[in-house]
């Protein structure tokens, strides 16, 4: 029986378990990446464990998410990261060098390798036939320390691409079509593996946009083959020696098959609130637009910039629209300047920002109140932009640029746009001074006043008797649990401070109520914790005394973070039991009786009945939760 690309990649990384669907397996990290929002916690964890050198082939630290330096906080974080990376043997990018996913694709991604990154969109490297998976900061620390990452061996979905994209229908529409078909939780526990003749027509940058946004389906990761397009990409960055051919065997076995005819795709958009609310642009044409954001980790590679320039050249943006562009890397900027594309865009009235994640995570370029914003970013959860009542539509660059000209949502096929054909350069312009030089650690680490030690958490109690403090719907995001935006990102590493804003988009009084009740229980629907890798979304409820989250289902990455920080996950066996519960109900759980694959009794004292749940984690993970989290468990193991 033949093998899929996924199976071939995991064979090179597995160090524990068997590659059988549903099995718990341990894989090693050949590479890791981190960014400035999550990595402060990563390095604090490494420090608490006494790690003095990373154990990977390559570990890279990027400074791209939290770039506004309105006061000391972000500057202190950057200084701390620069010194810690020098101490531990980690490559560190200069602030403003570029967005981590594109920079890694340019300079470090290697076909056949495993990448474990402290960001949910680490999956972008699947474009290079890497098994790249996003994790929380603590799991990233463990990978850097040489510890295995444990995951459930996923099912593998074959996404068969046939045909070729038509003019003004770029690669982002492919992942929109996948989201339209399967939703934001349709690929939980699965890998999306792209194959078929249509793949050959996509550049590595286009594949990266698709793999990046695969995270929005709940997928463990996405992978593409390593073929001649991959080889051309590596050659253009002077890394052809890293290339190897990787493809699925002709008789590979898949769990599911999705077929997409690229020729029949039309320009698509995601409506405000969720990346899977996908419709043809023709259904929403004519809606007035207040803001357009071009860029982010999904759509400002060179091909995107040139496509945008091709649409905007010789025109002016609409007077009622604010338009900004976040380029992906300095290399892309310099190559665009060399080709005249930057000047073509600048002349239209577009604002330019430094290459960073700012607008995507609400750390800059927030829309006006109730503003309609078209963005080429991967996510549009309400409030993520930094504006609580935003109306963010997701689109490919072609729709965004066309709408910037007209002032309303516009199908780019209606404009007289010159034909655009992109050819990857034989060699990109020299990147310049992107990374800090190798430096000798001088024994000093700068700890700013906003950098707090990791909170110490107690072991799990033998029983809980607590109130339900929140009853939440399906698809609660990490942005709702732990807010993004310029006001909150700088305090991510200050758990007592950021905890004061937990669930602020859902119930601003929640932190005070949790403090008054000395903790409690959360009830949630399907896919609890979807979105970002931010482990603070698990840490701050735990810090506020939340003992357990009982949900219909959990997002993979957030579930792992809950285990790492000792927050007990329980899952409803019957959906009707979710319906019967209300906020303020008092529940009693005998946690000492919890066993894997065994129903757990919960008593609703308020309403006088019993219902049953189970835990979705393994016996090894349950032991970690009983210890109060991964740090406690590791220290106990080493005693």
């Amino acid at each position: 029986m033949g093998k899929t690309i996924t199976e071939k990649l995991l064979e090179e990384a597995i160090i524990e378990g068997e590659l059988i669907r549903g099995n718990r397996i341990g894989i090693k990290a050949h590479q890791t990446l981190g960014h400035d929002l999550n990595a402060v916690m990563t390095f604090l964890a490494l420090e608490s464990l006494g790690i003095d050198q990373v154990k990977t082939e390559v570990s890279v630290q990027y400074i791209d998410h939290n770039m506004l330096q309105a006061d000391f906080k972000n500057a202190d974080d950057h200084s701390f990261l620069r010194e810690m990376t020098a101490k531990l043997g980690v490559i560190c990018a200069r602030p403003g060098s570029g967005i981590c996913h594109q920079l890694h694709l340019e300079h470090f991604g290697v076909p056949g390798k495993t990448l474990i990154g402290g960001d949910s969109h680490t999956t972008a490297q699947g474009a290079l036939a890497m098994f790249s998976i996003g994790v929380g900061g603590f799991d990233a620390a463990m990978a850097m320390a040489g510890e295995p990452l444990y995951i459930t061996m996923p099912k593998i979905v074959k996404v068969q691409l046939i045909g070729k994209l038509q003019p003004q229908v770029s690669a982002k529409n492919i992942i929109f079509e996948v989201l339209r078909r399967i939703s934001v939780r349709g690929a939980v526990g699965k890998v999306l593996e792209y194959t078929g003749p249509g793949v050959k027509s996509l550049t590595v940058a286009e594949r990266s946009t698709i793999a990046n946004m695969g995270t929005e389906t709940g997928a463990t990761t996405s992978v593409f083959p390593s073929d001649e397009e991959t080889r051309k990409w590596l050659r253009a960055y002077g890394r052809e020696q890293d290339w190897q051919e990787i493809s699925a065997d002709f008789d590979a076995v898949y769990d599911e098959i999705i077929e997409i005819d690229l020729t029949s795709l039309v320009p698509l958009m995601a409506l405000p609130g969720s990346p899977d609310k996908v419709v043809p642009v023709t259904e929403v044409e004519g809606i007035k637009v207040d803001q357009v954001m071009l860029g982010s980790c999904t759509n400002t590679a060179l091909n995107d910039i040139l496509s945008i320039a091709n649409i905007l050249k010789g025109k002016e943006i609409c007077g009622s629209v604010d338009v900004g562009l976040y380029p992906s890397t300095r290399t892309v900027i310099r190559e665009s300047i060399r080709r005249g594309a930057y000047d073509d865009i600048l002349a239209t009235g577009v604002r330019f920002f430094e290459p960073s994640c700012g607008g995507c995570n609400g750390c800059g370029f927030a829309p006006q109140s109730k503003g309609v914003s078209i963005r080429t970013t991967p996510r549009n959860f309400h409030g993520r932009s930094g504006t609580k009542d935003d109306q963010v539509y997701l689109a490919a660059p072609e729709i965004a640029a066309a709408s910037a000209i007209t002032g309303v949502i516009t199908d780019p096929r209606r404009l007289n746009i010159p034909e655009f054909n992109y050819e990857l350069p034989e060699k990109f312009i020299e990147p310049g001074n992107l990374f800090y030089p190798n430096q000798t650690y001088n024994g000093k680490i700068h700890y700013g006043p906003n950098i707090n030690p990791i909170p110490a958490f107690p072991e799990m109690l033998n029983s809980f008797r607590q109130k339900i403090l929140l009853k939440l719907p399906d698809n609660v995001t990490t942005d709702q649990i732990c807010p993004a935006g310029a006001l909150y990102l700088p305090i991510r590493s200050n758990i007592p401070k950021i905890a004061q804003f937990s669930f602020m988009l859902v119930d601003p009084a929640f932190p005070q109520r949790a403090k008054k009740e000395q903790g409690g229980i959360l009830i949630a629907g399907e896919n609890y914790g979807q979105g970002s890798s931010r482990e603070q979304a698990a840490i701050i409820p735990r810090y506020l005394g939340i003992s357990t989250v009982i949900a219909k289902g959990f997002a993979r990455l957030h579930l792992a973070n809950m285990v790492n920080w000792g927050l007990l996950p329980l899952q409803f066996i019957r959906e009707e039991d979710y319906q019967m519960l209300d906020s303020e109900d008092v529940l009693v759980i005998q946690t000492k009786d919890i066993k894997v694959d065994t129903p757990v009794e919960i008593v609703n004292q308020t309403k006088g009945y019993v219902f049953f749940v189970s835990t979705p984690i393994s016996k090894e993970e349950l032991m970690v939760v009983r210890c109060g989290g991964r740090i406690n468990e590791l220290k106990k193991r080493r005693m």
Side-chain angles (χ1 to χ4, degrees):
M1 185 173 65
K3 296 173 183 174
T4 63
I5 298 170
T6 303
E7 288 166 322
K8 291 180 180 183
L9 297 179
L10 287 173
E11 275 185 343
E12 297 299 314
I14 190 165
I15 54 178
E16 191 174 323
E18 294 184 74
L19 294 180
I20 299 172
R21 312 297 204 263
N23 269 19
R24 184 174 187 262
I25 59 172
I27 59 174
K28 66 181 176 182
H30 298 112
Q31 299 185 355
T32 66
L33 71 76
H35 60 66
D36 45 321
L37 274 185
N38 288 344
V40 171
M41 296 292 290
T42 297
F43 286 107
L44 288 172
L46 286 169
E47 188 176 49
S48 73
L49 295 170
I51 303 298
D52 56 6
Q53 282 287 298
V54 296
K55 307 294 195 296
T56 53
E57 294 175 10
V58 175
S59 284
V60 190
Q61 174 62 45
Y62 298 95
I63 300 177
D64 62 348
H65 272 61
N66 216 7
M67 301 295 289
L68 295 179
Q69 292 177 222
D71 63 13
F72 63 90
K73 298 184 188 72
N74 291 347
D76 279 350
D77 286 354
H78 298 169
S79 179
F80 170 80
L81 292 171
R82 188 171 64 249
E83 291 157 0
M84 286 296 292
T85 53
K87 175 183 177 182
L88 297 178
V90 175
I91 298 167
C92 187
R94 292 180 180 275
S97 290
I99 299 171
C100 58
H101 308 301
Q102 179 71 17
L103 265 180
H104 206 86
L105 204 71
E106 292 177 357
H107 299 287
F108 300 105
V110 176
K113 298 291 187 179
T114 301
L115 172 68
I116 294 172
D119 184 89
S120 57
H121 291 120
T122 299
T123 55
Q125 306 305 308
L128 286 175
M130 299 186 76
F131 191 85
S132 51
I133 186 167
V135 297
F138 189 82
D139 278 331
M142 291 301 93
M144 293 164 74
E147 293 285 326
L149 174 72
Y150 291 98
I151 62 171
T152 299
M153 174 62 191
K155 294 181 178 179
I156 305 169
V157 180
K158 179 180 185 178
V159 185
Q160 173 88 353
L161 304 182
I162 61 173
K164 188 175 182 179
L165 293 169
Q166 298 300 296
Q168 307 310 321
V169 186
S170 60
K172 191 160 192 164
N173 293 284
I174 299 172
I175 188 59
F176 277 148
E177 176 64 12
V178 174
L179 278 158
R180 185 187 69 80
R181 294 194 195 185
I182 69 174
S183 85
V184 290
R185 56 178 185 266
V188 173
K190 303 172 184 177
V191 170
L192 299 177
E193 184 169 309
Y194 289 84
T195 67
V199 168
K200 295 178 182 178
S201 67
L202 302 174
T203 67
V204 166
E206 291 173 312
R207 297 174 189 186
S208 180
T209 287
I210 296 165
N212 180 311
M213 275 194 72
T215 294
E216 311 315 325
T217 69
T220 302
T221 192
S222 300
V223 296
F224 281 82
S226 176
D227 55 13
E228 282 303 315
E229 279 297 323
T230 318
R231 190 174 194 168
K232 284 164 59 178
W233 175 270
L234 294 170
R235 183 189 303 130
Y237 284 98
R239 300 197 295 121
E240 189 174 3
Q241 72 278 4
D242 289 335
W243 182 77
Q244 62 169 308
E245 185 175 7
I246 305 173
S247 61
D249 295 332
F250 75 93
D251 56 346
V253 176
Y254 293 89
D255 298 281
E256 300 173 36
I257 298 176
I258 298 172
E259 183 170 287
I260 299 175
D261 181 358
L262 304 185
T263 309
S264 67
L265 284 184
V266 299
L268 300 168
M269 297 189 79
L271 304 181
S274 182
D276 64 351
K277 293 182 177 180
V278 175
V279 298
V281 65
T282 52
E283 291 189 15
V284 288
E285 276 189 292
I287 293 176
K288 184 182 179 299
V289 176
D290 300 299
Q291 183 197 65
V292 172
M293 183 194 144
L294 302 160
S296 85
C297 57
T298 51
N299 273 121
T300 41
L302 180 63
N303 55 295
D304 299 306
I305 299 292
L306 296 182
S307 178
I308 291 165
N310 182 62
I311 294 169
L312 295 181
K313 185 176 182 178
K315 302 178 178 66
E316 292 184 353
I317 60 173
C318 180
S320 62
V321 183
D322 192 11
V323 185
L325 186 148
Y326 283 85
S328 56
T329 68
R330 285 183 182 169
T331 303
V332 168
I333 292 173
R334 297 183 69 206
E335 191 73 44
S336 301
I337 290 172
R338 183 164 74 170
R339 293 165 179 248
Y342 237 54
D343 191 58
D344 290 337
I345 298 171
L346 193 63
T348 68
V350 173
R351 299 169 62 184
F352 276 71
F353 297 89
E354 68 178 325
S356 72
C357 303
C360 180
N361 63 29
C363 201
F365 203 51
Q368 68 197 56
S369 57
K370 299 182 181 178
V372 172
S373 178
I374 299 178
R375 299 185 163 216
T376 63
T377 58
R379 289 185 178 137
N380 62 339
F381 306 142
H382 286 305
R384 178 178 172 83
S385 68
T387 301
K388 185 175 181 179
D389 56 0
D390 60 12
Q391 295 294 309
V392 174
Y393 292 76
L394 298 183
E398 293 74 24
I399 292 176
S403 303
I405 296 168
T406 64
V408 296
I409 294 177
T410 300
D411 185 337
R413 298 172 300 178
R414 299 194 189 281
L415 304 183
N416 187 25
I417 298 170
E419 186 175 349
F420 170 69
N421 292 301
Y422 174 72
E423 289 291 333
L424 187 74
E426 278 292 317
K427 189 177 190 309
F428 276 91
I429 196 168
E430 288 299 320
N433 191 10
L434 299 177
F435 302 94
Y436 286 108
N438 293 333
Q439 50 192 301
T440 303
Y441 171 55
N442 64 8
K444 295 181 180 178
I445 299 292
H446 179 83
Y447 297 89
N450 189 53
I451 298 177
N452 276 239
I454 294 173
F457 292 123
E459 294 184 358
M460 185 172 72
L461 298 175
N462 287 331
S463 65
F464 299 139
R465 182 185 180 278
Q466 290 182 317
K467 281 184 181 179
I468 297 173
L469 297 187
L470 277 178
K471 184 176 182 181
L472 301 159
D474 293 347
N475 301 318
V476 167
T477 72
T478 50
D479 287 87
Q480 292 172 299
I481 305 169
C482 177
L487 298 177
Y488 309 106
L489 297 183
I491 57 174
R492 273 273 190 90
S493 300
N494 186 338
I495 298 303
K497 187 72 173 176
I498 190 67
Q500 296 174 26
F501 304 98
S502 181
F503 288 104
M504 61 170 288
L505 296 175
V506 178
D507 179 0
F510 170 75
Q512 289 71 35
R513 198 163 66 255
K515 184 177 180 180
K516 178 183 175 182
E517 296 290 342
Q518 296 185 313
I521 293 169
L522 302 182
I523 302 299
E526 291 282 2
N527 203 29
Y528 177 77
Q530 71 157 327
S532 162
S533 64
R534 70 192 71 164
E535 60 198 329
Q536 291 86 351
I539 298 173
I540 59 179
R542 175 95 159 100
Y543 180 81
L544 292 170
I546 298 301
S547 58
T548 183
V549 179
I550 309 173
K552 295 180 188 176
F554 296 88
R556 176 200 64 84
L557 212 164
H558 187 66
L559 182 63
N561 285 337
M562 289 177 66
V563 170
N564 285 339
W565 297 101
L567 183 55
L568 176 65
L570 295 173
Q571 196 159 321
F572 289 102
I573 294 174
R574 301 189 319 157
E575 186 169 326
E576 49 265 42
D577 290 324
Y578 167 84
Q579 305 295 341
M580 292 175 66
L581 294 171
D582 293 299
S583 293
E584 301 295 309
D585 284 0
V586 175
L587 305 184
V588 177
I589 310 171
Q590 299 299 326
T591 53
K592 67 179 186 301
D593 297 331
I594 294 176
K595 296 178 182 177
V596 173
D597 299 326
T598 302
V600 180
E601 181 182 278
I602 297 182
V603 178
N604 186 328
Q605 280 196 339
T606 303
K607 294 177 177 172
Y609 72 91
V610 170
F611 65 98
F612 292 88
V613 298
S614 62
T615 183
I617 57 179
S618 68
K619 63 180 181 180
E620 293 85 359
E621 291 167 328
L622 181 57
M623 181 179 68
V624 171
V625 174
R626 289 193 188 282
C627 289
R630 186 78 64 181
I631 289 178
N632 292 0
E633 187 266 339
L634 282 170
K635 288 180 176 178
K636 189 173 181 179
R637 206 184 334 146
R638 292 179 176 186
M639 288 176 60

